[in-house]
Amino acid sequence: MARSVRAPRDLRTVLQDILPKLVLSPSLAAMLVFVYGFIIYTVFLSFTNSKMLPSYDLIGLDNYVRLFGLSAWTTALINLAIFASLYITICIAIGLLLAIFLDQKIRGEGVLRPIYLYPMALSFIVTGTAWKWLLDPGIGLENTMHLWGWDSFKFGWIKDRNYAIYTLVIAAVWQSSGFVMAMFLAGLRGIDNEMLKAAQIDGASNWQLYRRIVIPLLRPAFLSAFVILAHLAIKSYDLVIALTGGGPGRATELPATFMYSYTFTRNQMGVGAASAVIMLMGVAAIMIPYIYAELKEQK
Amino acid sequence: MSGGAQDQAVRTGRIARTFIYVVLIYFALFYLLPLFIMAINSIKPLSEITGGNMMSLPAEPTLAPWKSAWSTAQIGVEATGLKPYFMNSILMVVPAVAISTIIGALNGYILTKWQFRGSNIIFGLMLFSCFIPFQIVLIPMARLLGLMGLAGTTWGLILVHVVYGIGFSTLYFRNYYAAFPTELVRAAMMDGAGFFRIFWRIMLPVSGPIAVVCIIWQFTNIWNDFLFGASFADLDSMPMTVALNNLVNSSTGVKEYNVHFAGAILAALPTLLVYIVAGRYFVRGLMAGSVKG
């Protein structure tokens, strides 16, 4: 793949050798300060008794002990587990279904595909605003069904602390599933048709064709979709703010909203920093092996 | 049956095809419905919304909610509408996108055509920085912006978006330039062309498609950002997403749903427009950001 340019050394080439590093250095410096330096700073704060302002009194692991003793944090983690597993599973299921169906030489594919994908261009705040209202029993879907004569129809999940978390899943799936479809579709279009034909001559049914050959070949797309969706789930913040504000009560609190409120409104910066560190560890556990494998493959 | 069935290995019968079309159209409705409902309800008077059916078309269409959302709705303490915040977002997005794209192009060029010891590690570090949860940098960033006197300013937000946008823009250009023949660069060097001349004369002229992808991606991300805007902006620099959230979730007074919807569409309009005009590139950007290489 990409090889470096090597030329005989004289004064000019020495200069030319330094120049690239010189041009790259501001980005490198910015990254080391704003990403890795800041990560180290936040990790440091998580070991201090910082409240409203950063303090430099080390208190060991106290913040982590406190964090995992807080019911609000436990709730946030459980909510994340529910939200992430449903969000990832449903997005992948819908994405795969739509991609396979769209791949059947469908007339109007050029119209359908952009319709499936456009929510990805929207801000979660816009998505949240729309769904908040659609899901509101007093004025949205439930009300419409009543007006259409289906009086027993009930859909008040967004006001119910046991079900509100699922409304987040609905809105998030609406936003991201088209994107997953696009990833699978790209994977499907890369599969060699001749191989499928050969399998069919051997008597494989459509179902077997997909189960035994196509879906296993889509493994890279599954992996990418999983990684992207998982890290989006951990980072989810805007949607919660716009759709439920973390409520009713704390029913839809996620780690990202927990971190924000503990750090900036409850003045528990040490605990907030500790929660951010846990979030980072979650993302790192997913992304680092993936990036490592990708970079290795490219060599 | 469709005409292309011969060269497709998977064949489907009439019933199966009907089923497929029904499912596909059903999902198209699912994706379109929220936008459609927002659009029709944004041109209804409020009484028609609270007293009527959200699915019915407006009986007396009016543009008043749009005017209100744009220029008179109450956001924060003042009744300015979303207009000033829309401008804030433009003033923030344009420089942030331009700067991060230019830096990304140079970085990608260096990381593919001027590799040195450790350049792959640098790329790996940049790649990981694309995916960090930004909560990990919020506290130090707030401190630093305060120290630099940039807290609550549009310049502060531009800085934040450039810094955290470089990772992705570098990724795009690097993967694109990696496929560009290094021999051409080497030949130009033998002819005496230097670092910048090669970039300017050889790399840039072929960079059109990836520049579009990168600009669209950065534009969408930065325009749609909420976390940084909510954390670092004050009333004078507040971006559109934060203003929209304030409009919709302000607890005072009657909830003017029609105004909220008009506002939401206004906030979505720039990115939607980009998507409609250059959707192909948008998809390519999404893919390149996830399926690297």
Side-chain angles (χ1 to χ4, degrees):
Chain A
M1 272 197 53
R3 271 164 295 144
S4 280
V5 186
R6 286 264 173 263
R9 297 192 145 249
D10 53 37
L11 194 67
R12 208 175 142 268
T13 44
V14 170
L15 183 78
Q16 286 292 322
D17 240 23
I18 300 172
L19 203 53
K21 289 172 197 164
L22 211 64
V23 174
L24 190 65
S25 57
S27 300
L28 184 62
M31 183 185 69
L32 289 178
V33 172
F34 288 94
V35 179
Y36 296 96
F38 279 9
I39 289 176
I40 292 167
Y41 184 83
T42 306
V43 170
F44 173 75
L45 281 185
S46 74
F47 295 120
T48 68
N49 66 347
S50 304
K51 297 281 182 233
M52 197 172 102
L53 291 168
S55 115
Y56 300 109
D57 293 336
L58 288 167
I59 53 166
L61 286 169
D62 281 14
N63 285 326
Y64 291 90
V65 174
R66 277 201 50 208
L67 180 67
F68 282 92
L70 286 169
S71 66
W73 176 248
T74 321
T75 311
L77 285 183
I78 293 170
N79 283 341
L80 177 63
I82 298 172
F83 170 73
S85 51
L86 287 173
Y87 169 63
I88 295 170
T89 317
I90 299 174
C91 274
I92 288 182
I94 292 179
L96 183 63
L97 180 85
L98 292 178
I100 288 177
F101 280 10
L102 265 189
D103 197 35
Q104 309 300 324
K105 303 254 164 189
I106 289 301
R107 233 171 280 176
E109 187 199 321
V111 180
L112 290 169
R113 221 178 18 185
I115 292 176
Y116 297 161
L117 255 168
Y118 88 90
M120 202 63 196
L122 303 181
S123 144
F124 272 118
I125 302 295
V126 173
T127 304
T129 305
W131 281 96
K132 183 190 188 135
W133 189 73
L134 277 171
L135 296 168
D136 187 308
I139 199 156
L141 205 61
E142 186 179 304
N143 181 47
T144 303
M145 289 303 171
H146 291 176
L147 289 171
W148 280 347
W150 186 357
D151 286 328
S152 59
F153 183 87
K154 278 234 168 304
F155 197 69
W157 284 6
I158 200 164
K159 306 265 185 205
D160 186 329
R161 50 174 63 237
N162 293 319
Y163 288 96
I165 188 76
Y166 301 110
T167 61
L168 277 185
V169 177
I170 296 175
V173 165
W174 179 79
Q175 175 125 356
S176 322
S177 47
F179 168 46
V180 180
M181 180 279 300
M183 290 170 79
F184 281 125
L185 196 58
L188 284 171
R189 297 274 149 95
I191 291 175
D192 182 14
N193 205 28
E194 296 307 312
M195 184 164 52
L196 300 185
K197 274 187 187 165
Q200 200 163 45
I201 291 168
D202 288 346
S205 69
N206 281 350
W207 170 250
Q208 283 171 326
L209 220 55
Y210 275 100
R211 252 215 63 175
R212 297 272 171 78
I213 302 177
V214 176
I215 291 179
L217 280 174
L218 286 176
R219 243 181 67 167
F222 273 101
L223 185 66
S224 302
F226 173 81
V227 168
I228 296 299
L229 294 171
H231 105 280
L232 283 179
I234 297 176
K235 288 159 77 170
S236 289
Y237 175 75
D238 318 8
L239 185 63
V240 184
I241 297 296
L243 190 67
T244 62
R250 270 191 207 133
T252 52
E253 196 87 75
L254 290 181
T257 58
F258 174 96
M259 184 274 166
Y260 200 90
S261 64
Y262 266 74
T263 307
F264 296 110
T265 49
R266 288 170 180 249
N267 296 329
Q268 303 265 359
M269 194 176 277
V271 176
S275 69
V277 171
I278 303 287
M279 286 177 67
L280 177 72
M281 283 161 62
V283 170
I286 297 164
M287 292 308 302
I288 288 179
Y290 181 70
I291 289 175
Y292 186 75
E294 289 271 341
L295 285 181
K296 234 177 145 183
E297 212 172 279
Q298 280 183 15
K299 272 190 187 151
Chain B
M1 291 287 294
S2 93
Q6 291 96 336
D7 56 277
Q8 177 93 352
V10 179
R11 279 170 216 190
T12 40
R14 179 159 300 196
I15 298 171
R17 282 195 86 72
T18 313
F19 175 71
I20 287 172
Y21 275 103
V22 168
V23 171
L24 288 177
I25 290 167
Y26 171 81
F27 271 100
L29 292 177
F30 167 68
Y31 290 115
L32 281 176
L33 201 66
L35 188 66
F36 170 75
I37 290 176
M38 275 209 289
I40 58 170
N41 286 288
S42 73
I43 50 171
K44 283 180 190 172
L46 192 58
S47 58
E48 228 179 284
I49 296 182
T50 46
N53 189 330
M54 66 169 179
M55 300 290 277
S56 58
L57 292 171
E60 299 164 44
T62 163
L63 281 178
W66 282 77
K67 284 182 193 139
S68 165
W70 181 246
S71 52
T72 60
Q74 178 110 1
I75 289 156
V77 275
E78 281 181 79
T80 54
L82 289 167
K83 189 166 77 176
Y85 307 102
F86 193 92
M87 294 306 160
N88 283 346
S89 271
I90 299 265
L91 286 177
M92 167 185 82
V93 166
V94 174
V97 170
I99 298 170
S100 62
T101 303
I102 292 167
I103 295 178
L106 280 168
N107 288 352
Y109 167 53
I110 295 166
L111 289 174
T112 52
K113 304 303 169 205
W114 298 84
Q115 285 178 326
F116 50 88
R117 253 160 74 88
S119 61
N120 267 328
I121 296 171
I122 293 178
F123 179 61
L125 287 173
M126 282 193 171
L127 206 52
F128 180 65
S129 77
C130 296
F131 301 101
I132 57 166
F134 290 127
Q135 280 75 14
I136 198 80
V137 298
L138 280 186
I139 302 170
M141 197 65 186
R143 297 262 305 159
L144 188 75
L145 288 177
L147 288 174
M148 292 168 78
L150 290 174
T153 66
T154 299
W155 284 109
L157 287 177
I158 293 173
L159 173 74
V160 173
H161 286 301
V162 167
V163 164
Y164 298 109
I166 290 176
F168 264 117
S169 59
T170 302
L171 165 69
Y172 286 142
F173 282 98
R174 180 201 172 269
N175 288 349
Y176 187 79
Y177 288 155
F180 184 84
T182 303
E183 285 68 27
L184 277 178
V185 178
R186 194 179 315 204
M189 232 187 124
M190 293 298 178
D191 289 345
F195 175 81
F196 281 111
R197 201 137 78 145
I198 295 173
F199 180 66
W200 191 253
R201 289 283 176 79
I202 300 181
M203 304 310 281
L204 267 194
V206 300
S207 307
I210 199 65
V212 175
V213 166
C214 181
I215 288 169
I216 289 177
W217 172 266
Q218 299 286 15
F219 177 83
T220 310
N221 263 355
I222 299 174
W223 182 276
N224 287 343
D225 161 72
F226 177 76
L227 183 63
F228 287 142
S231 308
F232 304 137
D234 62 16
L235 207 58
D236 295 324
S237 58
M238 197 194 278
M240 189 68 174
T241 47
V242 182
L244 172 67
N245 189 53
N246 286 357
L247 170 73
V248 173
N249 287 324
S250 68
S251 44
T252 49
V254 189
K255 281 214 177 299
E256 297 184 291
Y257 296 108
N258 48 2
V259 177
H260 298 175
F261 292 142
I265 298 176
L266 280 171
L269 221 46
T271 51
L272 266 186
L273 217 61
V274 167
Y275 177 69
I276 291 166
V277 173
R280 214 155 40 90
Y281 291 99
F282 178 81
V283 177
R284 215 190 285 174
L286 280 176
M287 309 299 280
S290 51
V291 198
K292 285 167 260 353

